[in-house]
Amino acid sequence: MIEILVSGFFLFLGLTYKKKINPLVVFNGIWFICFFLYRLGFSSAYDNKIPFLVSIVFVSMLITFNMGFILGKSLKNKRGIVLKISLIKARTKEEYLNIVFHIYFSLIIIEVILFKGVPLLWTLQGRTDVSYVTFGIPSLHGFINSLAWFIVSISFIEFLNSKSKVALRNIIMINLIFVFLLARQSMVTEIIQLVTIYFCKRRLEVKKLCVLLLLFVIGFGLIGNLRTPPEVIIRNSGFRFNVPIFLLGIVWVYMYMISPIANIIYFIENFTNFQYGVFSLINFLPTVVVNRINITTRGEVGTYLVNEAFNMSTGLMPIYGDFGVIGIALFFTLIGLMGGVLWRKMRCSNYSDEIVCMYSIYSGAIALMFFFNEFITLPIIIQFIYSSFLFRNYFYCRNKNDHKPVSNIKKMKNISVYS
């Protein structure tokens, strides 16, 4: 119960901020919901108890993250060197968006040709030899997903700013591609980033948020039912109530939020063979590299699952599996500091497009920490590289109807993400 109290306390603290999309609300809010749902015990697949040792790990995570954020927020911005690269040159933001979208679309077409189809069509055809899991060029597909998230983010910001038709087309097309690829996880990451952007740029409206959550739950269930027969989730979830098929998203979301808690509890209670960086390295390196240099762990991680149908163990698993509680404390202190610094820079820059884009990536990563650790995965790290280095000059392109650049990069020195 202590983990609910601690996360609830810091959540309340975050809700006192003017902007409710701050890291305290995002991070603590998600964990508070996870802990609360787990304790409700709607699934007979788990015993819904949190042992004392695991509570120590959870509380360590919560306290170090929040203290790190508070410290990072209090640090003063320092003048630093701003690096600007022109990987793509364009006169306007719309022209830039056109170029990066066609790069992404070309890469997807290449994958579709190589794999002779898409997961949605394979599912409708009843094929079992291929699926959404096998689609995509190993390692490269993660970079393509990163590019899609980045394009959707900057397109959404541009749409909010100017109602650009090109930006809207990018958002619609990329989401259609996600549907054809049955890329539910990609859509979840995208949604969190776009919601963050929206509430950084606009006022938080509870009604809109509730509608978005309802649509998300229904959509999550519909895509889940396409990927996995509904009777499978009903059987494996052990859900104590009967739910109509069209509302099965409730069960999907519930199980996706509590099963990682159950798995990490089982993992912490039984795992003693610490890997000292191997778990994190395997998560970080491209699959091709891991297979090439033959990196292996001591002991099978897959055996530490309560139910093999639900195989995620929160973002704590690789960090705890490498360095135990000390690793948890250090890691969450660092990402808390990062959040505090980003939050301060965003407020000092008056929620500039560049920093909002960076913060949306960060916010998505901490929101999904209950599921897996995006901070040690290349797709998310590459997103930071896209937005802060490779495609950073996008933010200094002029708008379609402007005669001068949007901003002078020299004026951004005091709020640079590199300071």
Side-chain angles (χ1 to χ4, degrees), residues 331-343:
F331 177 81
F332 282 95
T333 299
L334 287 174
I335 64 170
L337 276 168
M338 180 182 179
V341 170
L342 268 177
W343 185 252

Side-chain angles (χ1 to χ4, degrees), residues 91-93 396-407:
R91 291 170 296 177
T92 65
K93 281 181 162 54
Y396 306 103
C397 290
R398 63 184 175 84
N399 290 318
K400 184 179 179 180
N401 299 321
D402 290 345
H403 298 289
K404 294 181 180 180
V406 169
S407 60

Side-chain angles (χ1 to χ4, degrees), residues 130-411:
V130 284
S131 69
Y132 68 94
V133 177
T134 59
F135 181 86
I137 301 169
S139 301
L140 178 61
H141 192 65
F143 287 85
I144 296 173
N145 279 340
S146 296
L147 185 58
W149 294 327
F150 173 72
I151 294 169
V152 169
S153 293
I154 59 176
S155 295
F156 188 58
I157 291 172
E158 180 61 15
F159 180 75
L160 290 177
N161 290 339
S162 66
K163 305 300 179 185
S164 165
K165 291 181 180 179
V166 171
L168 182 60
R169 177 213 63 188
N170 288 357
I171 296 168
I172 293 172
M173 287 296 294
I174 289 175
N175 277 281
L176 284 174
I177 291 170
F178 283 163
V179 171
F180 274 99
L181 301 183
L182 296 181
R184 186 169 58 176
Q185 187 55 56
S186 294
M187 295 179 77
V188 170
T189 299
E190 174 207 4
I191 289 168
I192 294 173
Q193 291 186 190
L194 295 193
V195 168
T196 299
I197 290 168
Y198 184 83
F199 289 124
C200 283
K201 290 290 187 178
R202 297 286 189 270
R203 185 178 169 183
L204 175 63
E205 295 181 28
V206 177
K207 287 183 179 179
K208 286 185 178 180
L209 184 59
C210 290
V211 170
L212 283 172
L213 287 174
L214 179 61
L215 291 174
F216 170 75
V217 170
I218 294 172
F220 194 82
L222 290 175
I223 295 177
N225 293 343
L226 281 173
R227 290 172 24 153
T228 307
E231 58 271 16
V232 174
I233 182 68
I234 292 172
R235 182 176 64 251
N236 286 304
S237 67
F239 206 67
R240 299 183 189 277
F241 307 97
N242 292 323
V243 179
I245 295 297
F246 77 97
L247 287 179
L248 206 56
I250 295 172
V251 180
W252 276 108
V253 172
Y254 180 80
M255 294 306 296
Y256 264 64
M257 296 194 78
I258 71 162
S259 59
I261 303 292
N263 286 336
I264 193 63
I265 289 172
Y266 186 64
F267 182 80
I268 292 171
E269 283 196 297
N270 294 279
F271 187 81
T272 56
N273 197 7
F274 295 108
Q275 306 293 298
Y276 305 106
V278 175
F279 279 155
S280 300
L281 195 61
I282 289 175
N283 278 270
F284 173 75
L285 292 176
T287 306
V288 173
V289 176
V290 172
N291 294 336
R292 183 74 176 176
I293 60 181
N294 195 28
I295 300 178
T296 57
T297 59
R298 300 191 300 273
E300 289 295 326
V301 179
T303 60
Y304 294 94
L305 299 173
V306 180
N307 187 332
E308 291 187 4
F310 307 100
N311 59 2
M312 302 308 293
S313 301
T314 79
L316 283 72
M317 195 281 286
I319 305 300
Y320 184 87
D322 278 337
F323 302 108
V325 180
I326 294 175
I328 294 291
L330 290 175
F331 177 81
F332 282 95
T333 299
L334 287 174
I335 64 170
L337 276 168
M338 180 182 179
V341 170
L342 268 177
W343 185 252
R344 180 178 175 83
K345 287 179 185 294
M346 190 164 64
R347 294 179 65 245
C348 290
S349 69
N350 195 26
Y351 301 92
S352 68
D353 292 348
E354 181 186 1
I355 308 299
V356 166
C357 184
M358 289 280 289
Y359 178 69
S360 72
I361 303 167
Y362 171 84
S363 181
I366 61 171
L368 288 174
M369 188 62 70
F370 79 94
F371 197 58
F372 64 96
N373 195 334
E374 289 193 326
F375 286 101
I376 56 173
T377 61
L378 272 179
I380 292 300
I381 293 172
I382 292 298
Q383 255 207 107
F384 280 114
I385 294 174
Y386 285 155
S387 59
S388 63
F389 185 64
L390 291 181
F391 301 126
R392 189 172 189 262
N393 62 313
Y394 163 80
F395 298 102
Y396 306 103
C397 290
R398 63 184 175 84
N399 290 318
K400 184 179 179 180
N401 299 321
D402 290 345
H403 298 289
K404 294 181 180 180
V406 169
S407 60
N408 187 335
I409 194 169
K410 291 181 181 179
K411 294 180 181 179

